[in-house]
């Protein structure tokens, strides 16, 4: 596996500046393309699974986090509050409290549940500068988050549904988990004290894992302060493990925010919150994808999907026209012309691009291209329209294969 920090800079995906600060990377255009494409993939998967997306601010009053329990259990990881006109506001350490308030802002019938609220939103963690580097330990995090407000009876199905979404996303993205972990509380005081609540939530998640057929390990001391969780662990090239995806059952925050729904009996009932993240933070997910693929991303994620190579200056107009046709079809393409060197040198320079479209004199006359695939295959010249339609179909399907003839 590659080191995403080194590769990210070499490929021009992201960088940092001492004036912005450590742990605060910015995304360059090619990195932004990968991030945006990944975010669209997740939003699409969530829409299909019945989630509704919201936006909420990255700031909240200190009091909000006192109610949620973050202030007393999690403040070591939070930025210090900012004084503002007699009150204190805090950069949020998680999205849950905002989503609890969004739920609480309207009354809900049992018929609306499960209510799945999703947001790709910013959150902040006051990591010490010594552990920062690249995209894996950052102070500003964009989290693929969601909270499912549901009845007790619906928790198991919702948690299992989230695990299934994780499985599918990993298959689509080429991510292999190293282990599934049932994260339980450990000795020490950072957890909310409610033994019955912990027992019930742990029993539910254990049941979901047992039914899923996945092998898992229990680990003490890894729970959230408000409840146990299922963590999906990945590893980097050095074997260092990190949590990417998570599914959590929470009885605590619904209680703290006095959430309720109207049941079939007309009475008020307390919903359960299932917290879940499919790809975790966008930063960590992209870091992992850079390491998994070494920059040779699947076509649908690649910053440049088609690099058009005119053999000589004479074919430059046709090459530029092909790039415009790609753009109209939603494909990302660029020209690498003779000013960048010999054809062989340009082929090597574009070796990470899934498709190279070579246009010589013969192809220019016939509106054809000779495709070279990243895996080394060179296809016979074909009509440009056919090549673009086939590439477009593979990108649209988020295919792992570079060409249809692959099995
Ligand atoms: Zn949450």
């Amino acid at each position: 596996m590659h080191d995403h920090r080194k590769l990210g800079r070499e490929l021009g995906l992201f960088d940092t500046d001492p004036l912005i600060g450590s742990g605060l990377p910015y995304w360059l255009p090619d990195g932004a393309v990968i991030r945006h494409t990944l975010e669209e993939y997740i939003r699409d998967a969530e829409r299909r699974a019945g989630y509704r997306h919201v936006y909420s601010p990255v700031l909240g009053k200190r009091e909000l986090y006192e109610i949620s329990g973050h202030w007393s259990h999690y403040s070591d990881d939070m930025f210090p509050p900012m004084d503002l006109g007699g009150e204190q506001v805090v950069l949020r350490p998680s999205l849950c409290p905002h989503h609890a308030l969004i739920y609480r802002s309207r009354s809900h019938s049992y018929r609306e549940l499960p209510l799945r609220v999703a947001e790709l939103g910013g959150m902040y963690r006051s990591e010490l500068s010594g552990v920062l580097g690249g995209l894996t330990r950052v102070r500003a995090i964009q989290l693929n988050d969601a909270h499912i407000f549901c009845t007790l009876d619906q928790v198991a199905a919702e948690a299992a549904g989230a695990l299934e979404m994780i499985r599918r996303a990993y298959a689509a993205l080429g991510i292999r988990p190293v282990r599934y972990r049932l994260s339980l509380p450990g000795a020490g005081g950072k957890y909310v004290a409610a033994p019955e609540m912990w027992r019930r939530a742990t029993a539910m998640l254990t049941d979901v894992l047992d039914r899923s057929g996945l092998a898992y390990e229990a680990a003490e001391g890894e729970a959230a302060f408000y409840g146990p969780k299922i963590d999906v662990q990945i590893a980097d090239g050095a074997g260092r493990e990190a949590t990417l995806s998570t599914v959590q059952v929470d009885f605590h925050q619904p209680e703290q925010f006095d959430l309720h729904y109207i049941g079939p009996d007309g009475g008020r009932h307390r919903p359960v919150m299932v917290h879940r993240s499919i790809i975790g933070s966008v930063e960590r997910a992209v870091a992992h994808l850079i390491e998994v693929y070494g920059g040779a991303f699947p076509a649908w994620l690649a910053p440049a999907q088609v690099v058009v190579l005119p053999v000589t200056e004479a074919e430059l107009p046709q090459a530029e026209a092909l790039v415009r046709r790609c753009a109209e079809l939603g494909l990302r393409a660029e020209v690498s012309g003779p000013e960048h060197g010999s054809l062989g040198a340009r082929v090597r320079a574009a070796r990470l691009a899934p498709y190279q479209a070579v246009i010589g004199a013969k192809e220019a006359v016939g509106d054809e291209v000779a495709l070279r695939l990243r895996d080394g295959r060179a296809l016979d010249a074909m009509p440009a329209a056919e090549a673009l339609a086939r590439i477009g179909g593979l990108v649209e399907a988020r295919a792992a294969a570079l060409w249809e003839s692959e099995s």
Side-chain angles (χ1 to χ4, degrees), residues 94-96 145-147 226 248 253 273 275-276:
S94 81
L95 281 65
C96 338
D145 205 7
H147 297 92
Y226 47 77
Q248 312 171 7
Q253 293 189 65
M273 271 172 89
H275 309 234
R276 55 103 281 207

Side-chain angles (χ1 to χ4, degrees), residues 382-397:
M382 69 178 83
E386 183 193 336
L388 297 192
R390 292 181 69 167
I391 293 170
L394 289 158
V395 165
E396 177 78 23

Side-chain angles (χ1 to χ4, degrees), residues 290-309:
I290 293 169
E291 298 191 346
V292 166
Y293 290 108
F297 297 101
W300 66 277
L301 276 172
Q305 294 163 323
V306 182
V307 173
V308 184
L309 302 168

